[in-house]
Structures are given as structure tokens and as C-alpha cells.
């Protein structure tokens, strides 16, 4: 009974928010250092954008809990900014500033399943409770190490966590992203995302990445789905 009472007390101490959101960003060596910094800059700009802040404040409680995690190898998942409640423009700007100033590290491989499992753990162990739980995975290549994706999906599904995807795609050599040998958008749709209403929003250039992450955050925070016109215009893909 003592254990049950302690569990109930712990639950009472949890803070209610509209969304718990893990932003999980690939910084493996397939992403060069300049690209990795630009990815971070794209998230920083989106987090402080008025559309994101308006979406947060428009929720039933007007606040979300978010953490920004950079990942690569099986054992490499590091929070550049730990769990924070955002309810105002000042909160958003402070969180974005912490993301921007965090030390920068790299990893070798692309362990997407391990990144998902890490996101599940972070949601399960945090001090918040919300009706919507989301892990937002961005990356520029398929998995080549780590926990099998079907096992990662099982962990997320068991905890009612939706996994969305933002594949960063290029058909040409260049500094923004490396060319990929698979249909990365299709790979993310078939292998990475999971949960009711999960969707993929690809980005192919630096500018498109900034637009994609901004739109994706607004949709996730608002609990909205892309419109059919957006699906046709941008190539978004929903989970079956």
C-alpha cells in the first residue's frame, strides 16, 4: 500500500500540458558539420516563431513540454535542451537559446530505432502528463545500427506515442545534405513513423527544411492533420 500511495503522490506532482514533444535530430557523420548546425538553426528559428507560439497558446492549457535531443549511434542520444514547459514567447525564446548554445557533438552511425526508444524513455520518465505524446524524428538516411525499428515501434505503440518523420533528402551532391540511395521519404513512411495520424514531411533544401519544421511543429502542437492540398503540394505522407 505504501508503494501504491507513493506512486499516486508522484502522479499528483506531474504537470499537465497539452503535448509532450521530443524533437530528435540526427547528427551522425552522414550529416556534415555545417548541415548539422543549420538543422539546429532551423529548429531554433521555428521554436521562436510566432506561429508556433500562437499554436501553443491556443491549446486547452496553453502550454507544452518539449525536449531537444541530438542522436546518432546506439548509445548516443544527448539532450541539447532538457524538458521545458513553453507557455509564452519568453519561454520559447529561452528554450531556443539553450538549444542554440548547447555544446556540439557528433556520432558515427544512424540508429533510428534507438533514438525512438530513447524518446519513449524520456516521455515515460518525465514530470509531465498530456493527452498527446509525440516523437519527431529527423534524419538524412536509413537506419544502419541499433534497435530494430519494429521493436522501437512496439515500445512507442505500447505507450500511445506517435512518431512523425522529417527526412532530409537530396538527389545531388552538396553541402546541405548527402545524396541517398533509397527513396528516403518512402523509407520513413514505411519504417520510421508509427501511431494514429503519424505523417512524414520531407525537406530537400535548407530553406525547405526551415519551412517544413515550422509547419510540422504547428501541426503537432495544434493536434491537426495536413490538408489534402498540402499533401499534394509538399509530398507529405500519412501513416496507413
Amino acid at each position: 500500500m505504501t508503494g501504491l500511495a507513493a506512486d499516486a503522490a508522484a502522479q499528483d506532482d506531474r504537470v499537465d500540458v497539452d503535448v509532450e514533444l521530443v524533437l530528435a535530430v540526427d547528427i551522425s557523420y552522414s550529416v556534415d558539420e555545417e548541415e548539422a548546425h543549420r538543422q539546429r538553426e532551423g529548429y531554433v528559428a521555428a521554436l521562436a516563431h510566432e506561429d508556433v507560439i500562437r499554436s501553443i497558446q491556443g491549446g486547452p492549457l496553453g502550454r507544452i513540454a518539449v525536449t531537444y535531443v541530438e542522436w546518432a549511434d546506439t548509445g548516443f542520444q544527448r539532450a541539447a535542451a532538457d524538458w521545458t514547459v513553453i507557455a509564452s514567447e519568453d519561454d520559447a525564446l529561452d528554450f531556443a537559446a539553450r538549444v542554440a548554445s548547447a555544446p556540439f557533438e557528433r556520432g558515427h552511425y544512424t540508429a533510428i530505432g534507438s533514438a525512438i526508444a530513447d524518446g519513449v524513455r524520456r516521455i515515460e520518465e518525465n514530470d509531465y502528463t498530456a493527452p498527446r505524446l509525440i516523437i519527431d524524428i529527423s534524419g538524412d538516411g536509413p537506419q544502419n545500427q541499433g534497435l530494430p525499428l519494429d521493436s522501437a515501434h512496439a515500445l512507442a505503440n505500447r505507450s500511445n506515442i506517435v512518431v512523425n518523420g522529417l527526412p532530409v533528402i537530396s538527389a545531388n551532391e552538396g553541402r546541405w545534405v548527402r545524396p541517398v540511395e533509397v527513396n528516403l521519404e518512402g523509407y520513413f513512411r514505411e519504417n520510421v513513423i508509427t501511431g494514429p495520424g503519424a505523417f512524414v514531411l520531407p525537406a530537400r533544401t535548407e530553406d525547405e527544411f526551415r519551412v517544413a519544421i515550422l509547419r510540422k511543429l504547428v501541426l503537432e502542437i495544434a493536434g491537426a492533420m495536413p490538408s489534402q492540398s498540402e499533401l499534394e503540394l509538399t509530398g507529405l505522407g500519412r501513416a496507413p
Side-chain angles (χ1 to χ4, degrees):
M1 291 298 295
T2 301
L4 291 174
D7 288 344
Q11 289 292 330
D12 289 342
D13 290 338
R14 294 166 74 89
V15 176
D16 291 330
V17 294
D18 292 317
V19 185
E20 296 173 45
L21 176 61
V22 178
L23 300 174
V25 183
D26 180 6
I27 54 165
S28 62
Y29 278 120
S30 64
V31 181
D32 74 31
E33 188 166 348
E34 181 178 341
E35 291 161 5
H37 280 294
R38 287 178 176 172
Q39 282 188 101
R40 185 185 281 188
E41 290 166 2
Y43 275 97
V44 167
L47 287 163
H49 196 280
E50 62 182 358
D51 288 351
V52 169
I53 296 166
R54 189 181 301 114
S55 293
I56 293 170
Q57 295 177 333
L61 297 173
R63 58 181 180 263
I64 69 168
V66 60
T67 182
Y68 184 97
V69 179
E70 294 176 328
W71 59 271
D73 306 338
T74 298
F76 188 118
Q77 300 94 26
R78 184 183 64 86
D82 210 347
W83 285 106
T84 300
V85 172
I86 298 179
S88 68
E89 181 179 5
D90 286 345
D91 294 337
L93 291 172
D94 179 68
F95 183 82
R98 281 188 283 129
V99 171
S101 63
F104 188 73
E105 301 177 31
R106 304 292 300 283
H108 288 84
Y109 298 103
T110 305
I112 300 173
S114 299
I116 293 173
D118 175 76
V120 171
R121 178 188 62 79
R122 290 177 189 274
I123 288 174
E124 290 180 339
E125 296 179 1
N126 69 23
D127 296 326
Y128 307 99
T129 182
R132 291 187 292 116
L133 312 173
I134 301 170
I135 299 172
D136 192 329
I137 294 279
S138 69
D140 79 334
Q143 168 145 309
N144 54 29
Q145 189 195 56
L147 183 72
L149 284 161
D150 56 354
S151 299
H153 285 169
L155 293 174
N157 293 337
R158 188 165 62 237
S159 295
N160 297 314
I161 297 171
V162 171
V163 179
N164 292 328
L166 199 164
V168 185
I169 303 166
S170 177
N172 303 302
E173 293 284 355
R175 295 192 59 80
W176 170 232
V177 289
R178 68 183 178 87
V180 295
E181 298 176 354
V182 299
N183 178 339
L184 194 60
E185 181 181 348
Y187 178 86
F188 264 62
R189 188 180 302 115
E190 296 298 325
N191 299 283
V192 175
I193 67 174
T194 189
F199 63 88
V200 170
L201 176 53
R204 296 171 177 80
T205 66
E206 178 185 351
D207 289 341
E208 191 171 319
F209 180 84
R210 287 175 176 266
V211 172
I213 190 55
L214 174 59
R215 181 58 179 153
K216 197 156 182 284
L217 283 174
V218 168
L219 288 170
E220 289 168 336
I221 292 166
M225 291 299 299
S227 67
Q228 187 59 42
S229 61
E230 286 178 312
L231 291 173
E232 293 169 356
L233 178 63
T234 65
L236 274 72
R238 297 183 188 177

